[in-house]
Amino acid sequence: MYTDIKVGYTCNNNCVHCVIAPIKKNLIKNRNVVDSNTNEVKQFIDEAKKRGSRSIVLTGGEVTIRSDFEELVQYVVNKNLHLTIQTNGRVLSKPGRLNFLEGLPPINFVVAIHGHNENIHDSITRAKNSFRQTVAAIKCLRKYSNAIIHGKLVISKINM
């Protein structure tokens, strides 16, 4: 059994197909917190393990932009749970950003890529250079044998 844990709604993309954007907008409008804090996410992980989950999926928004991202990864690993990270990958392209993977067990990275070129991808994410950053992140992830890379494509009229 696995558990998806939505850590929040903050994201560095602005995808045209985003299903959480209206939720985030409503939270902001009502002055509610947009993202769970570190302790809340850890509590969600603990509760999932108590319910029998053997695998955790960290998703967002964009989990990799959180300042506690590496801490959350280590927390899941320390609980002996299998980890999947759903990501647009953009910040993982930064030099040294993946050094924390050294010595960790295998981790699945489900990377969203929305087209075969920059024009299509960036028009869907509405984030300049997002295609280049995502492709660079995939190349960086490939350097780590414990990073298992999966692709995710949301099909739309734009990329069809």
Side-chain angles (χ1 to χ4, degrees):
M1 181 167 85
Y2 74 93
T3 301
D4 273 5
I5 297 177
K6 182 175 292 303
V7 299
Y9 298 94
T10 302
C11 187
N12 54 349
N13 278 347
N14 184 25
C15 296
V16 297
H17 59 261
C18 183
V19 296
I20 66 168
I23 299 168
K24 178 182 175 184
K25 186 177 179 180
N26 193 45
L27 287 169
I28 292 169
K29 178 183 168 189
N30 293 317
R31 293 189 166 96
N32 290 318
V33 177
V34 175
D35 298 312
S36 298
N37 67 42
T38 305
N39 288 333
E40 289 170 329
V41 176
K42 287 179 177 180
Q43 184 178 351
F44 299 151
I45 294 165
D46 291 342
E47 290 169 0
K49 184 168 180 161
K50 284 179 190 171
R51 286 191 316 270
S53 286
R54 301 177 89 198
S55 183
I56 298 293
V57 179
L58 292 179
T59 184
E62 177 55 39
V63 66
T64 65
I65 64 174
R66 292 175 60 104
S67 61
D68 62 357
F69 171 63
E70 292 178 28
E71 180 181 349
L72 294 175
V73 168
Q74 193 63 55
Y75 193 79
V76 172
V77 168
N78 289 346
K79 296 286 182 179
N80 295 314
L81 296 164
H82 188 264
L83 177 59
T84 298
I85 297 165
Q86 288 187 358
T87 180
N88 62 39
R90 292 176 56 197
V91 299
L92 302 179
S93 67
K94 294 178 181 175
R97 187 63 173 97
L98 292 169
N99 291 345
F100 74 93
L101 288 175
E102 293 289 339
L104 293 182
I107 297 173
N108 287 302
F109 288 85
V110 179
V111 183
I113 191 154
H114 301 293
H116 68 286
N117 64 43
E118 186 172 358
N119 289 337
I120 293 172
H121 182 90
D122 288 7
S123 68
I124 290 172
T125 64
R126 297 186 284 200
K128 189 173 173 62
N129 296 318
S130 61
F131 179 79
R132 290 181 191 174
Q133 293 167 342
T134 299
V135 170
I138 292 167
K139 289 178 181 176
C140 289
L141 283 165
R142 290 187 64 216
K143 296 175 185 173
Y144 294 86
S145 61
N146 59 335
I148 304 161
I149 308 162
H150 307 268
K152 175 183 170 185
L153 170 67
V154 176
I155 299 171
S156 67
K157 289 180 181 179
I158 298 169
N159 61 17
M160 191 74 160

